[in-house]
Structures are given as structure tokens and as C-alpha cells.
Amino acid sequence: MNEGMVIVQAGGNGLLENGREATVNAIMKVVARKRKKNVRVAVTSLLKRPACNEEYERLRKEVNRDWHEKILAIKVESKRNREVGSSFLDMDDLIQAGCFLVDGVHLSQEGETKLSQRFIRWIRATHLLMEGRMD
């Protein structure tokens, strides 16, 4: 039985073309495949993009809400069945407009640092959980 952890950070490049349902389902398939291998999965929210339009922002919020709800349901089920869980890492309060390069799409050094620090906190907490030192 494998055991480990993975962080899934989806990009928003195809969001408008692929749509809400396809975007949500693609990531949830990854989560399901990893969980079958006893891997703990964290899914990050799609990041705000200062350069994108209102339609992108609306879809982004809907996708994030869907992922959050689905991951929460997995978390509840996994607790009940004593299986590995999953997490949703919401980045909206962490990654602000000043965390992007001038293109308004890619993260700046500051943005990458904030994102990395958040990943490290999840990895440390998950490691403690896997060792049985956290509930």
C-alpha cells in the first residue's frame, strides 16, 4: 500500500474554454486516483488573476466552491471510514493582486513565496497526521 501526499495546483488557462464541470471533474479524477493509492491530496483553489475578465472570475469562484464542497465530503467520508483524507487550500486571502507579475497572470517572487509557505504548512501538518501525532 502506497502512502504519501501530493498538492494539486490547477491553472486557469483552460477555464473559459473547458468550463466549470470539466474543470471540476478533471481535478476530482486526480484526487480519486491518488486516494486509491492511499495518498493524501490537497487541492489548491484556482488563483485570482488581476488580468482576467468577470466571466473568468465568476467561473473561478464556482469551481473553487465545487472543489471545496467535494473535498469536504471526502474528508467527512474518510474520517468515517478511517481512510486517508483530502484538503482544500483556499488561496484567495493569501494571494492578492500585488503577488502577480505585471502580466496579471503569473506569480511574482512574493506570490511564489507565499504559496510555497502555505504548501509547507500543509505538508508539515499532514506529516504529523500521518505519524499519528495529530487528529
Side-chain angles (χ1 to χ4, degrees):
M1 180 182 293
N2 294 341
E3 189 174 289
M5 56 185 108
V6 66
I7 298 171
V8 180
Q9 182 190 5
N13 288 353
L15 180 59
L16 294 174
E17 295 81 14
N18 297 329
R20 175 183 178 178
E21 186 176 343
T23 302
V24 170
N25 290 340
I27 296 303
M28 295 313 298
K29 285 179 185 176
V30 171
V31 171
R33 279 196 313 267
K34 293 299 180 187
R35 289 188 70 240
K36 283 182 184 176
K37 294 180 179 181
N38 205 31
V39 174
R40 295 176 189 273
V41 181
V43 175
T44 70
S45 60
L46 282 176
L47 300 178
K48 296 177 196 175
R49 289 183 171 181
C52 290
N53 62 27
E54 290 178 18
E55 178 66 8
Y56 172 87
E57 184 60 14
R58 181 187 64 76
L59 274 174
R60 184 191 74 81
K61 287 179 178 179
E62 290 174 357
V63 166
N64 286 342
R65 184 180 60 242
D66 290 351
W67 282 340
H68 197 186
E69 289 172 359
K70 289 177 182 295
I71 295 295
L72 185 58
I74 290 170
K75 188 176 284 263
V76 169
E77 176 189 338
S78 66
K79 279 266 192 204
R80 189 175 332 122
N81 298 331
R82 297 184 180 267
E83 300 170 341
V84 296
S86 297
S87 301
F88 180 76
L89 305 178
D90 190 348
M91 301 296 181
D92 275 0
D93 289 338
L94 182 68
I95 305 296
Q96 300 298 316
C99 293
F100 288 86
L101 296 173
V102 294
D103 67 3
V105 174
H106 298 98
L107 291 176
S108 65
Q109 179 81 35
E110 176 187 357
E112 289 178 0
T113 299
K114 286 183 177 187
L115 196 68
S116 299
Q117 289 171 342
R118 179 63 183 99
F119 290 171
I120 290 167
R121 283 196 311 272
W122 181 79
I123 291 167
R124 285 181 179 152
T126 301
H127 181 70
L128 290 173
L129 186 66
M130 290 168 67
E131 287 183 341
R133 296 186 347 211
M134 276 181 67
D135 239 354

